[in-house]
Amino acid sequence: MDKVTPTAGAKSGEQPREAPFSVDGATSSVYVHAPFCVRRCYYCDFAVTIDRERRHDAWLKAISMEWDQIRREGLFSFPEPLETLYVGGGTPSLLGTRGMAGLASVIGPRLLRHPDLEWTAEANPESFTPDVARAWRKAGVNRVSLGVQSFHEPSLGWMGRLHGSAGAAEAVRTARGAGFENVSADLIFGLPGHLARDWGDDVDRALDLGVEHMSLYGLTVEARTPLGRAVADGRERVASEGRYRDEYLEAVERLTGAGYLHYEVSSFAFPCRESRHNEVYWSGRSYLGLGNSAHSFRKPLRRWNLRDWKEYSTSVAKGDSAIAGHEVLDRAALRLERIWLGLRARGGVSMASIPARATAVAERWMRRDWARVEAGRLRLTVEGWLLLDALAIELDEAVTNRKDGE
């Protein structure tokens, strides 16, 4: 249950040549990466760079140069205004009051004039000031995603977060004061037991915020992070599988009981407040990524940018490509991805797409309360979502009538 990011499978450093397939249609969603952070969180494996100078001008210059390259390349076309624009990080709120206005100038007014444009920017509570909030609204940002993670002071300190227990509520008040009517908050579950965090209290305090959207992320241990090294050395122990499960189920029960729609494995929203940008990923539609480490997808091509900020910004400044690698998904890879993406969202997988030989898998899942069939679609239950990866592979193998290694 990690953040939704496209997977990468090609060798690092591989440079894409002319795409060996025809391109049609258009792209209506763009992700822009802002890598700067004041410090790296204990568990973080994202492409961030520690920089207190908040290099607003350098970031905008690099994004602008890559954007120009993309437009000249022509692989991604934008005949209509964007439907979604998402600025993630890193900590976009560190870009200050000029960052989003500058980005709007780079993208251009034509692409930002859609009447229902969803423009999201991520913020950490401590850097989301009233001035930043007002500048974002003026630039056109209409959705804020706040990195809350917890309200428990010892847990915030352990994670390396810079805001205190009251920071999230203050950030929401700041957003409302600037006119934001669509606010999302992130929470992390499955923290180590020695922190003695009361998960139920965290969920209750998140509900008190009254935000329109919430995302739940289970703590994951990545090998190259400080947390990963501590776990490998035996200095840290992660939550048990049972507690991970119990905290997830408790949060689901409380959030849905409060009126949130559980529309994706880790996502909850009030009606009509689902993240339309993330739904682009889950539906397999085309999207463009700008900035270091950003991914782009245009069926069947996936490609990703250089991960390191300095390497990326230096490359585009010289007029060189920002692309680090790519893969062209074959039919098998596209099928597995379609199954996995379908099962992770409330829409599920069409039963008409499942051959008769694979229906026994769906029937077994239903007997175990891992799935149900509704309106002709196979949808995972909350218990099934806890087994998402394994179930997706199982269904793919049944559809193709094979086992791994065959």
Side-chain angles (χ1 to χ4, degrees):
M1 276 172 282
D2 200 0
K3 284 192 173 180
V4 180
T5 52
T7 56
K11 296 178 180 179
S12 176
E14 183 180 1
Q15 295 296 321
R17 299 177 176 84
E18 184 178 353
F21 52 87
S22 62
V23 176
D24 55 12
T27 301
S28 61
S29 294
V30 173
Y31 171 85
V32 187
H33 189 67
F36 308 113
C37 284
V38 174
R39 69 181 179 188
R40 181 181 288 274
C41 292
Y42 192 43
Y43 54 84
C44 177
D45 191 39
F46 296 137
V48 303
T49 186
I50 307 307
D51 192 336
R52 297 176 183 271
E53 297 182 20
R54 309 180 185 186
R55 299 181 184 275
H56 161 275
D57 293 333
W59 177 73
L60 278 179
K61 181 178 179 181
I63 296 298
S64 178
M65 296 187 75
E66 186 189 0
W67 178 245
D68 288 344
Q69 291 178 0
I70 294 293
R71 303 303 293 272
R72 290 194 300 270
E73 177 191 39
L75 179 62
F76 293 86
S77 61
F78 304 91
E80 300 294 334
L82 297 179
E83 296 179 15
T84 71
L85 174 61
Y86 194 106
V87 186
T91 313
S93 47
L94 285 179
L95 295 169
T97 59
R98 297 186 296 149
M100 296 306 108
L103 179 61
S105 295
V106 170
I107 300 298
R110 183 186 72 81
L111 291 183
L112 298 178
R113 68 185 183 193
H114 195 294
D116 294 321
L117 171 68
E118 178 193 85
W119 182 352
T120 304
E122 294 181 349
N124 281 353
E126 72 279 358
S127 54
F128 189 58
T129 66
D131 286 346
V132 168
R134 286 190 293 267
W136 281 13
R137 281 298 295 127
K138 185 177 180 180
V141 180
N142 53 24
R143 184 174 183 270
V144 175
S145 179
L146 296 172
V148 175
Q149 318 309 2
S150 179
F151 298 86
H152 183 236
E153 292 279 5
S155 296
L156 289 169
W158 178 86
M159 287 187 279
R161 308 298 291 180
L162 295 174
H163 65 277
S165 60
E170 180 60 31
V172 172
R173 286 193 292 270
T174 296
R176 300 304 191 201
F180 284 96
E181 299 178 351
N182 196 357
V183 179
S184 180
D186 294 350
L187 288 179
I188 290 183
F189 66 94
L191 297 182
H194 68 79
L195 294 171
R197 193 252 315 248
D198 184 336
W199 172 239
D201 180 68
D202 261 9
V203 175
D204 286 342
R205 293 184 67 174
L207 287 170
D208 289 341
L209 297 176
V211 296
E212 288 73 22
H213 187 280
M214 287 198 212
S215 297
L216 297 181
Y217 301 118
L219 180 69
T220 56
V221 179
E222 304 293 343
R224 56 187 175 184
T225 65
L227 174 60
R229 292 189 290 272
V231 170
D233 294 343
R235 293 179 284 111
E236 190 65 80
R237 295 182 62 184
V238 298
S240 68
E241 196 172 300
R243 188 156 64 80
Y244 186 99
R245 173 185 179 277
D246 290 345
E247 289 190 359
Y248 177 70
L249 295 178
E250 179 183 0
V252 169
E253 181 179 4
R254 293 194 184 206
L255 292 175
T256 55
Y260 287 90
L261 173 67
H262 191 186
Y263 71 99
E264 187 267 343
V265 60
S266 62
S267 304
F268 303 76
F270 287 147
C272 301
R273 293 302 194 183
E274 297 93 330
S275 170
R276 290 194 285 120
H277 185 82
N278 281 348
E279 288 183 327
V280 170
Y281 298 153
W282 304 328
S283 64
R285 286 181 283 160
S286 169
Y287 54 86
L288 172 70
L290 299 172
N292 61 298
S293 81
H295 288 63
S296 301
F297 178 69
R298 181 159 198 87
K299 183 180 178 180
L301 173 71
R302 175 178 289 115
R303 68 187 191 187
W304 51 96
N305 284 354
L306 296 164
R307 179 180 174 88
D308 180 76
W309 158 249
K310 290 184 179 179
E311 186 180 4
Y312 160 81
S313 57
T314 299
S315 182
V316 295
K318 295 189 298 183
D320 295 337
S321 174
I323 301 168
H326 81 287
E327 60 181 340
V328 177
L329 304 182
D330 60 18
R331 292 180 62 184
L334 286 169
R335 182 185 58 249
L336 174 58
E337 187 160 288
R338 184 170 60 250
I339 289 173
W340 184 78
L341 291 172
L343 291 177
R344 74 171 295 131
R346 64 178 174 178
V349 175
S350 171
M351 288 297 295
S353 68
I354 301 176
R357 63 177 177 270
T359 56
V361 169
E363 292 169 357
R364 183 172 65 84
W365 291 359
M366 287 186 283
R367 288 195 300 270
R368 297 193 177 189
D369 196 31
W370 292 344
R372 61 177 60 96
V373 175
E374 298 172 337
R377 302 191 69 83
L378 179 67
R379 296 170 174 163
L380 294 188
T381 64
V382 175
E383 292 280 359
W385 268 335
L386 284 164
L387 305 169
L388 171 63
D389 291 347
L391 296 185
I393 292 172
E394 181 181 7
L395 181 58
D396 180 62
E397 291 176 349
V399 166
T400 58
N401 195 26
R402 66 172 177 82
K403 295 292 185 181
D404 282 344
E406 294 183 0

